[in-house]
Amino acid sequence: MSLSNNTSPMFDALSASFDNLAVNLDFPVSQLQKQQLINYILLMNKWNKAYNLTSVRDPQDMLIKHIFDSIVISPHLQGSHFADVGTGAGLPGIPLAIMNPDKTFLLIDSLGKRIRFIKQSLYELKISNVTAMQTRVEDVVLDKPLDGVLSRAFASLKDMLHWCQYLTDENGLFLALKGQVNQLELDEIPTGFTVVDCVNLAIPNFQGERHLIKVKKTQ
């Protein structure tokens, strides 16, 4: 797909930065995916002024701290159906949905302004594999268990598992995106859950640590 309809200086600057960062990824990003991801940043930047969606104000910082921080999880998604709990502005759900058009994502947040932004983004970016739901995660009722439950800056591991335990079964994974691994937080994991992996994520130009903690039900 041509990017010729995107000629703003900000788009061009983000596109150049994107290319420099993407060479460090171990998976490909298509031109269409890149265009959608950058346009998502532009939407976030535009809405942020009125809606205060994220504390990250600089679109170049959003590229690293929101987009690449989200899409690096992509190779770790096993299955087809996922929920992103406490999604905020749609992170990591929207970037992952762009990277995985063959998978479905349920984005859950209790704040109406965030869900309105997400729905507008889905419409403008022509994303069809995402459903946005304004509710508390503990009130979500599903027809069948999901393959994975994603969380990024949502809650402690203990609280995430407590509130989200009904969203998947022993075949699914809880995927928590964290900074430093806190042993105390791991020790507080409730009975009936076990940590199956803790992955050190390599995010281009990201300052600090990033880990993906994978948890499974044991009963």
Side-chain angles (χ1 to χ4, degrees), residues 162-183:
H162 173 70
W163 289 327
C164 303
Q165 59 183 308
Y166 307 109
L167 298 182
T168 188
D169 56 19
E170 64 276 3
N171 297 312
L173 273 177
F174 297 89
L175 301 162
L177 195 57
K178 297 282 182 179
Q180 290 182 319
V181 178
N182 184 331
Q183 188 57 47

Side-chain angles (χ1 to χ4, degrees), residues 83-99:
D84 174 12
V85 297
T87 185
L91 300 157
I94 287 180
L96 288 174
I98 289 170
M99 294 302 301

Side-chain angles (χ1 to χ4, degrees), residues 27-188:
F27 54 89
V29 182
S30 73
Q31 284 293 87
L32 173 58
Q33 288 167 335
K34 171 183 157 182
Q35 177 178 329
Q36 287 177 303
L37 291 166
I38 293 173
N39 280 328
Y40 173 52
I41 293 176
L42 297 179
L43 282 169
M44 218 178 335
N45 183 54
K46 177 182 169 186
W47 280 60
N48 214 22
K49 295 173 178 67
Y51 275 52
N52 199 28
L53 296 166
T54 167
S55 60
V56 181
R57 296 294 176 185
D58 182 348
Q60 290 283 353
D61 287 341
M62 289 180 187
L63 186 60
I64 297 167
K65 294 179 180 178
H66 287 335
I67 301 303
F68 279 83
D69 186 53
S70 295
I71 66 174
V72 290
I73 309 171
S74 201
H76 300 277
L77 298 183
Q78 301 169 11
S80 303
H81 306 290
F82 298 86
D84 174 12
V85 297
T87 185
L91 300 157
I94 287 180
L96 288 174
I98 289 170
M99 294 302 301
N100 298 273
D102 57 326
K103 304 181 190 299
T104 65
F105 294 84
L106 173 64
L107 273 53
I108 303 164
D109 202 278
S110 58
L111 268 188
K113 67 178 183 179
R114 294 174 182 159
I115 295 299
R116 282 194 293 277
F117 166 72
I118 289 168
K119 287 183 174 178
Q120 184 64 26
S121 297
L122 300 177
Y123 171 75
E124 292 198 31
L125 300 173
K126 297 180 171 57
I127 297 171
S128 58
N129 57 329
V130 172
T131 303
M133 183 184 289
Q134 183 190 345
T135 184
R136 297 187 310 165
V137 65
E138 56 266 42
D139 296 332
V140 175
V141 178
L142 299 172
D143 295 334
K144 58 183 179 180
L146 296 162
D147 297 312
V149 180
L150 296 151
S151 156
R152 177 184 185 265
F154 166 59
S156 70
L157 211 46
K158 174 185 174 183
D159 287 343
M160 177 204 177
L161 296 171
H162 173 70
W163 289 327
C164 303
Q165 59 183 308
Y166 307 109
L167 298 182
T168 188
D169 56 19
E170 64 276 3
N171 297 312
L173 273 177
F174 297 89
L175 301 162
L177 195 57
K178 297 282 182 179
Q180 290 182 319
V181 178
N182 184 331
Q183 188 57 47
L184 187 63
E185 192 175 358
L186 296 180
D187 292 341
E188 288 183 338

